[in-house]
Amino acid sequence: ETGVTQTPRHLVMGMTNKKSLKCEQHLGHNAMYWYKQSAKKPLELMFVYSLEERVENNSVPSRFSPECPNSSHLFLHLHTLQPEDSALYLCASSQTSGGHPSYEQYFGPGTRLTVT
Amino acid sequence: EDQVTQSPEALRLQEGESSSLNCSYTVSGLRGLFWYRQDPGKGPEFLFTLYSAGEEKEKERLKATLTKKESFLHITAPKPEDSATYLCAVEGEETSGSRLTFGEGTQLTVNP
């Protein structure tokens, strides 16, 4: 495997289900990210892990729970989601800059989530 | 708060018809400006990073330029395979960690 991989690629879940999204990066990076992409809206940053420390976006509902067991793996645990949570969830990784310059992020293919 | 505005929202070109996409940004100290290409149903693909005004980068038919307020992505003699959504993002000095602020993108269609 190369780059950033995500599983599953597609997920349909009911509002009472619990599921997890998985991301793995094979680039030797030390920062990982979760983004949400909805139609006609810019990518929304959800969570950042840098050197395995979480920097959380306070506007993310608690029904989304991230986990980063090591620098190569990232999970997004989902529970009691709402239909408006249906979107493309993207994982990305990068080197952490700690200042100038900024490093580019590399994205996975995404998980298309549909909440019914 | 960092802000990014891309224009136009959508652009249709004939094959070989050169044009430019615009990315206007507001940021307190630019750490980096990024261009990505995104195909339908896929994750964004990294194209360029620009760090300071006056910088230019090229890749095949694409050339990215940067001023203190905006960036342009010039597409020379485009081909149908250049059809995609092009995303611009910035990272400012006041953000903690590596946080990018994205624009809404320009959807480019190149007709044969």
Side-chain angles (χ1 to χ4, degrees):
Chain A
E1 294 277 13
T2 59
V4 181
T5 59
Q6 291 186 243
T7 55
R9 294 295 310 278
H10 300 272
L11 179 62
V12 179
M13 59 186 290
M15 289 189 285
T16 59
N17 291 160
K18 290 184 180 181
K19 296 286 184 182
S20 295
L21 309 184
K22 179 184 176 181
C23 175
E24 184 173 359
Q25 61 94 2
H26 308 268
L27 299 169
H29 291 158
N30 52 21
M32 297 187 76
Y33 313 80
W34 280 116
Y35 287 88
K36 175 183 179 182
Q37 188 173 37
S38 305
K40 304 297 183 182
K41 293 178 68 176
L43 269 74
E44 302 173 52
L45 179 65
M46 300 177 70
F47 300 105
V48 180
Y49 277 85
S50 180
L51 298 172
E52 299 177 26
E53 177 181 344
R54 187 169 85 184
V55 179
E56 185 170 354
N57 183 326
N58 292 331
S59 65
V60 180
S62 60
R63 56 186 183 269
F64 295 92
S65 175
E67 178 188 1
C68 186
N70 55 60
S71 61
S72 298
H73 294 87
L74 186 65
F75 295 89
L76 188 63
H77 304 297
L78 316 171
H79 65 95
T80 59
L81 293 190
Q82 304 299 309
E84 59 265 29
D85 296 323
S86 298
L88 182 68
Y89 288 84
L90 291 160
C91 174
S93 72
S94 75
Q95 286 300 114
T96 185
S97 62
H100 289 282
S102 179
Y103 293 106
E104 62 272 13
Q105 296 178 15
Y106 291 88
F107 287 81
T111 294
R112 174 65 63 185
L113 174 66
T114 303
V115 181
T116 60
Chain B
E1 183 180 337
D2 300 343
Q3 292 187 335
V4 176
T5 303
Q6 292 188 246
S7 61
E9 287 187 17
L11 181 63
R12 285 186 175 273
L13 299 174
Q14 289 298 124
E15 185 172 2
E17 179 187 1
S18 301
S19 188
S20 297
L21 312 182
N22 178 263
C23 171
S24 297
Y25 65 91
T26 303
V27 65
S28 297
L30 181 68
R31 279 187 175 172
L33 183 141
F34 304 86
W35 281 99
Y36 287 85
R37 167 194 171 126
Q38 186 173 24
D39 293 299
K42 296 187 177 181
E45 175 189 346
F46 170 70
L47 294 174
F48 303 108
T49 308
L50 300 168
Y51 294 110
S52 58
E55 190 174 0
E56 300 182 350
K57 288 192 177 174
E58 288 188 66
K59 179 181 179 180
E60 297 181 352
R61 296 177 292 281
L62 301 177
K63 179 180 179 180
T65 62
L66 181 65
T67 72
K68 289 185 178 180
K69 294 183 178 181
E70 57 191 350
S71 176
F72 291 94
L73 185 65
H74 306 280
I75 303 176
T76 302
K79 298 181 178 182
E81 53 262 42
D82 295 321
S83 297
T85 296
Y86 290 85
L87 302 173
C88 175
V90 297
E91 182 182 345
E93 288 183 345
E94 291 190 0
T95 58
S96 60
S98 299
R99 297 188 181 199
L100 297 184
T101 300
F102 280 84
E104 295 189 15
T106 293
Q107 186 175 3
L108 174 66
T109 303
V110 182
N111 296 314

